[in-house]
């Protein structure tokens, strides 16, 4: 979908057709609206974060997900008890999608002790293992073997589940990803690699960073791994095609590589001064107008007659309020202290075990 | 006491821990069907089968990362690096993911992995295959590193490493694999098994005139040197084996130095920022007034590992070199 | 004198060396069309074009290995790591291939590469992005490592690094990129250009009571501390900037310590086997009798880098911390 | 070809057909015999090395090339002035093939100062840059980006040449290789990756180490790189198909990935105690009988009537004598000294430049 990529969808993408897939056909109205609400929550959270970042409330990077919401939210809507997810640094949507609340996320951005990682992780490192969410990883491609490992654990313990492991179109060029693909194919791991192809890795378009044929996901073919492409702005398509991969993982314990066409409106990170230099304003506008995942889904629900304008406004208002409250929460939360620096380094030390008390673990002075 | 090799000691530790906890699995290149490149895992695949002992492709970043990922859910992988030198192709997984995931998650995740394999020179395999990255690992908070010098320590430390809930990296030595050592039968042990806590140094030989402090195979070199020093020079050297580099037993080191007032660190590490530099700097800081001479160091000669067998032997610490160095700061009782 | 930023100083060095030798090329992620993630290479692609300034995919092992391979035939690649933290995905190329190929070929090959980029904490980017691997690099014979603290040094050292025929790894600091400093116009220089040899430390401030020794941004911290020490405590601190860690100017360090009899090493490195440990251990060995107190160290607080901005600031050395440490071993002239 | 791999040749491999390819058709008798002689030289060198290794004259590893000779020798016979090669640790044949003499190679195995790397490299690290031979590399896959770099240098300097970069069937699973493939495809590098598929990486057969479809070389397809398969025991096929790749590199500056089916008779290294455990004696025998590259080529030259038995005996004798002389040379050469340890570390120090004399470079004491 991105103008700079040679990729073309693998199938004719008639959304009404995907709507008829079992996984979509059986959706209740409330489920459909829930997906919308989640996407709106993500959008409003990112907007609030952006605003506070500009005010100097946060440090480091802030990678926003605006424009890509349907990918994480659509896919997460399919996950069950033994399904896990892990992603890169553009990780807020996945966090909110699995059910983390905005307070702990916003507080993390602020570096407050009430943050989901106690202020230790920041924007790139959200985690909630209890919700099967394994982060939030800053090193490009570094999470891809971890994703294989989550799937590996499920497999060797006979649990019917899978791991959705996200990466970007730039990340496909990290060697670790290929090693992970080979392991997944060789060992029959129930892992699904989701390439969120937003057309750019920082300021580099797909054509300038990757050599490929057909599409990036096609590299999976060399490992005899099934691959597919998804038009990411369409929730029905995202769900329909992802469900096939999940079924493959659950029933055959086989991996899949999925490439999802999507787009990010903001720069690579908020500090990306070139955000509008390596792509045209027109390109950005076009995506916002024609392919905005929230609009597309909202309008579909209007057409289906399951959503009213009022209900939408309500959803939007709730999301804005939740975001606003999270800013307040973050503003009012305390910072960690210097004493916190050497906590959460060693399990044995934190748990004050004999092992944690034996020998010196930290070496200042 | 029963004597077994260092290799067998590690194997026993692995075998016992496979029995002890069904979450423990062994992974690595050639560890299963081939019995291990250095035969450490011999027989374990036959005994435990595919579900516990697994061969991996030559993808260290891939399979170590996979082990880290699985450990987050409770698997306890013990991963062999055929050589620790190959850690560098997986260094991001080893240094970033394993060491940081607990921290960056605010303590929500832990990573109970072991990475083990030989880290030593002295076998003429050239520069790329002879790295000793214990200083790199020990530099990295979140990681633990252990370097056993004897069969006894190898078994006891390995078992503790596997039970530890943090990433523990065990550096063995191909040169020591065949060395015999006293290792008690479990039946003869009060608790029925041999566990040596990480973070406890061991006085391998008592002495009064100088402390020879070392880790890994250099401990053996120090013991040889101590023997010569005693016999030929009447110098009583105490040999302190760190065993565990992080966590570190500073007290035992300092006690020894406070007694002998002189110390030399001996290691196969390269000198610049080697483990010795840390220990020396710690000693001078904490036992400044107890020192009668500067604390000296013997490290590998500062170049990539030389292939040529006789030359490489001279590149690494050897007993007469230690003796000579000791004589620069100790008065011999008889000359 | 003319003032430019540290960033501009590096850019000038790159620009001049691109002009000086047609074998010099710049490679890295976003260095060309995007002007560099930290704008160090701004304008150079426009000026020099695709054949001299090249964007690379996110494949550090691939493109650094490619640069090493090309260097064997005479290309002189200057490769940017967007962060030195990303070195770990390319560590085998960096530590094995670049450092060993000359040695293992018996001197038949050389590898005139530069790898440069920021290596620092303090910008709240979390544990995986805040590594300072200067100690790992300097541990490795075959490699050279340089850490400029000022615009002047950054320019002069970078130019020497590019002309050097060995692999030189330059560690910059994102925190310093915007700092202004005196850098002469070439027209005002006797030789028409600014070249600072590797291996020469610089006394950034003279003093008599204590030597504050440091590299990288910690030099600036030491200068701030020295100011406070002078003004508030009447203590005259000498600030020694290593500039180049390997090769190392031991003589300048030792001279300073012989004069002041006291020293503290300050660094953003983690303490265990950090650069400070090497310098401290060297000082106590070579200036044992000149020391009136143990040589102390201030390193980053020993944990992965904390994200939270105000906390991370406390994790890294800061001036009042240096002052306090100095006061533990120096008598203030007035209190 | 290897029994354990699912691979099948991509084309019908009628050797007589490959003989008609221009590059083969134009060969002189002496050129044909030269190739035979080179293969025999390699075989005899390896045998002599093996014998001396068993006597304890060498340290470390010794990875022998017996069975694979036609690959390196066949391909090297095609190379011109600007063509370079680089390989892994199974590197003796490539060294001899480019024209290194047995003396310097055998002495290197002994660790003598007269060795090609002055005793610093050993078996895995032979080098001769003057003959365009860039080693001999011990870290699996680590040479693959270097190979891209040699090609890159040629390209940016406008030299019509290429780099042949060898790797094993196990090495394809190192991430660095995939990063190199992407760079080669993206930047149009004149590099030819030659996967010497001998069916095993140490004790692990191809099926146990790799996930693939069609063949290992097919992974190149995902990078839009042309790939091919070669029956490695046949010199005509090796030359015909390799020449196509060389032409592509020279004329189009495009990469190729070639997978060559071959077989090693010895264990992974001489110290491989399991050499006959992970594969059957029968399998080894079958290859030695039916596919030995020296026999196959010799017999073809007999059939073509360009070689007499006498001439073959002469060649064999010469090779044996050269090998024997090299043993003597190595035996009589001196070892390096301790002073040599810190030589060849830094160019600037070795050349006693001002830079080499400024600051401390070595840190013992
Ligand atoms: C190994 C590594 N190299 C470089 C970076 C710097 N970096 C962070 S994100 C990024 C671009 C990634 O692009 P893509 O994978 O397409 O993901 P997107 O940002 O589009 O979501 C780069 C180069 C990094 N974090 N890790
Ligand atoms: C990164 C790395 N991992 C592991 C090894 C140990 N090792 C050396 S050769 C080898 C097998 C390689 O097999 P293959 O690539 O098929 O080449 P072959 O030996 O068959 O020529 C292994 C595992 C190594 N040298 N480097
Ligand atoms: Mg992208
Ligand atoms: Mg093979």
């Amino acid at each position: 979908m991105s103008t700079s990529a040679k990729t073309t969808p693998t199938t004719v993408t008639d959304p009404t057709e995907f709507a008829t897939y079992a996984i979509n056909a059986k959706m209740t109205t409330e489920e459909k609206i829930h997906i919308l609400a989640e996407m709106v929550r993500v959008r409003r959270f990112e907007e609030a974060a952006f605003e506070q970042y500009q005010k100097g409330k946060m440090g480091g990077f802030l990678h926003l997900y605006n424009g890509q919401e349907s990918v994480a939210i659509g896919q997460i809507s399919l996950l069950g008890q033994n399904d896990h997810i892990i992603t890169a640094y553009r990780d807020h949507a996945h966090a909110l999608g699995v059910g983390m609340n905005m307070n702990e996320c916003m507080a993390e951005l602020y570096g407050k002790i009430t943050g989901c990682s106690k202020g230790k992780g920041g924007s790139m490192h959200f985690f909630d293992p209890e919700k099967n969410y394994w982060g939030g990883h800053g090193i490009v491609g570094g999470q891809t073997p971890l994703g294989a490992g989550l799937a590996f654990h499920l497999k060797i313990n006979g649990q019917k589940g899978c791991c959705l492991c996200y990466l970007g179109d730039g990340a496909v060029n990290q060697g670790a990803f290929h090693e992970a693909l080979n392991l997944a194919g060789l060992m029959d791991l129930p892992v699904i690699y989701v390439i969120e192809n937003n057309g750019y890795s920082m300021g580099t378009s797909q054509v300038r960073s990757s050599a490929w044929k057909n599409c990036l996901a096609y590299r999976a073919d060399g490992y005899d791994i099934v691959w597919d492409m998804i038009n990411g702005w369409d929730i029905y398509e995202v769900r329909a095609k992802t469900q096939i991969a999940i079924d493959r993982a659950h029933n055959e314990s086989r991996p899949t590589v999925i490439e999802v066409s999507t787009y990010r409106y903001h720069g690579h990170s908020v500090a990306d001064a070139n955000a509008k230099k390596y792509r045209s304003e027109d390109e950005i506008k076009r995506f916002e107008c024609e392919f905005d995942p929230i609009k597309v889904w909202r309008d579909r629900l209007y057409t289906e007659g399951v959503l009213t304008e009022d209900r939408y406004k309500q959803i939007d208002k709730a999301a804005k309020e939740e975001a606003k409250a999270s800013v307040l929460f973050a503003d009012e939360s305390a910072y960690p202290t210097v004493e916190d620096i050497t906590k959460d380094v060693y399990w044995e030390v934190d748990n004050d075990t004999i092992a944690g008390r034996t020998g010196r673990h930290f070496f200042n002075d | 006491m029963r004597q077994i090799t260092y290799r067998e000691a590690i194997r026993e530790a692995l075998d016992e821990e496979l029995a002890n906890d069904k979450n423990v699995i062994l992974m690595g290149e050639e560890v299963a069907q081939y019995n291990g490149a250095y035969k450490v895992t011999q027989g374990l695949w036959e005994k435990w089968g595919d579900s516990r002992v697994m061969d991996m492709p030559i993808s260290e970043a891939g399979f170590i990362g996979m082990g880290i990922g699985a450990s987050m859910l409770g698997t306890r992988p013990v991963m062999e690096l055929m050589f620790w030198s190959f850690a560098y192709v997986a260094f991001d997984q080893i240094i970033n993911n394993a060491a940081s995931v607990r921290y960056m998650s605010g303590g929500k995740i832990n990573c109970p992995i072991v990475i083990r394999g030989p880290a030593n020179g002295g076998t003429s395999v050239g520069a790329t295959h002879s790295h000793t990255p214990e200083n790199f690992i020990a530099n990295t908070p979140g990681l633990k590193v252990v370097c056993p010098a004897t069969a006894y320590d190898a078994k006891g430390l390995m078992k503790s490493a596997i039970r530890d809930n943090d990433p523990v990296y065990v550096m063995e030595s191909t040169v020591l694999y065949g060395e015999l050592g006293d290792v008690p039968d479990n039946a003869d042990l009060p608790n029925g098994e041999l566990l040596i806590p990480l973070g406890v140094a061991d006085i391998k030989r008592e002495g009064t005139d100088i402390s020879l402090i070392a880790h890994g195979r250099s401990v053996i070199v120090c013991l040889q040197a101590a023997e010569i020093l005693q016999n030929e020079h009447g110098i009583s050297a105490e040999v302190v084996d760190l065993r565990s580099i992080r966590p570190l037993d500073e007290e035992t080191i300092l006690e020894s130095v406070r007694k002998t007032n002189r110390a030399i660190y001996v290691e196969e590490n390269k000198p610049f920022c080697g483990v010795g530099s840390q220990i020396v700097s710690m000693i001078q800081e904490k036992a400044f007034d107890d020192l009668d001479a500067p604390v000296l160091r013997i490290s590998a000669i500062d170049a990539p590992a030389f292939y040529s067998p006789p030359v490489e032997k001279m590149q690494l610490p050897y007993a007469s070199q230690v003796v000579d160095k000791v004589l620069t700061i100790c008065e011999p009782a008889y000359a």
Side-chain angles (χ1 to χ4, degrees), chain A residues 58-224:
Chain A
M58 305 162 193
F61 302 131
L62 183 69
H63 306 95
L64 300 179
Y65 201 68
N66 303 39
Q68 306 188 196
E69 293 88 347
S70 48
V71 188
I73 298 303
Q75 294 190 318
I76 289 169
S77 73
L78 300 166
L79 301 184
Q81 191 188 333
N82 283 325
D83 299 320
H84 296 261
I85 76 173
I86 185 167
T87 187
Y89 44 85
R90 199 178 297 285
D91 63 342
H92 308 167
H94 308 75
L96 296 172
V98 299
M100 289 172 70
N101 68 59
M102 286 196 197
N103 283 359
E104 58 182 327
C105 292
M106 190 62 75
E108 187 60 33
L109 297 181
Y110 274 62
K112 297 294 179 80
I113 189 76
T114 51
C116 58
S117 300
K118 298 186 194 158
K120 286 181 170 162
S123 165
M124 304 196 285
H125 307 115
F126 287 6
F127 292 88
D128 197 339
E130 292 197 357
K131 301 195 168 67
N132 292 4
Y133 181 48
W134 299 93
H137 293 269
I139 299 294
V140 164
Q143 77 281 13
T144 56
L146 302 185
L150 293 165
F152 173 69
H153 175 91
L154 296 173
K155 185 186 170 80
I156 63 178
N157 286 282
Q159 290 165 4
K160 188 169 182 157
C162 73
C163 174
L164 282 187
C165 178
Y166 294 85
L167 65 157
D169 49 293
V172 299
N173 298 316
Q174 274 287 317
F177 176 49
H178 297 278
E179 298 193 6
L181 281 185
N182 184 53
L183 287 163
L186 182 70
M187 302 176 74
D188 297 320
L189 301 181
V191 61
I192 301 166
Y193 287 106
V194 180
I195 303 169
E196 296 196 68
N197 187 346
N198 55 18
Y200 298 90
S201 51
M202 293 190 68
T204 306
S205 64
Q206 184 181 335
V207 266
R208 295 208 303 119
S209 69
S210 295
W212 81 94
K213 196 163 133 181
N214 302 320
C215 64
L216 296 173
Y218 174 69
R219 288 190 188 171
D221 207 48
Y223 305 89
D224 207 12

Side-chain angles (χ1 to χ4, degrees), chain B residues 6 10 27 29 37-38 40 60-61 63-64 68 77-96 98-99 113-121 123 125-138 140 143-148 158 161 167-174 177 215 245 268-269:
Chain B
Y6 183 99
I10 298 171
M27 298 162 53
E29 292 156 26
Y38 287 98
V40 170
E60 286 83 358
F63 80 75
I64 289 177
I68 295 167
V78 180
M79 299 179 274
E80 176 172 304
L81 279 169
M82 197 180 285
F83 286 76
W84 261 100
S85 288
F86 308 154
Y88 298 152
V89 298
F91 222 52
D92 182 57
Q93 297 298 328
I94 288 173
I95 288 281
N96 260 332
I113 63 167
V114 169
I115 304 179
R116 53 156 292 274
N120 59 284
T123 58
V125 288
T128 59
H129 279 54
S130 304
H131 291 287
T132 54
E134 54 265 34
N135 49 338
F136 295 4
I137 303 303
T140 309
L143 303 180
K144 300 179 179 178
V145 55
V146 165
C147 293
M158 186 68 75
V168 184
Y169 297 173
V170 184
M171 304 206 181
E172 306 161 5
S173 166
T174 52
Y177 280 145
H215 68 275
I245 294 176
E268 290 193 16
N269 237 198

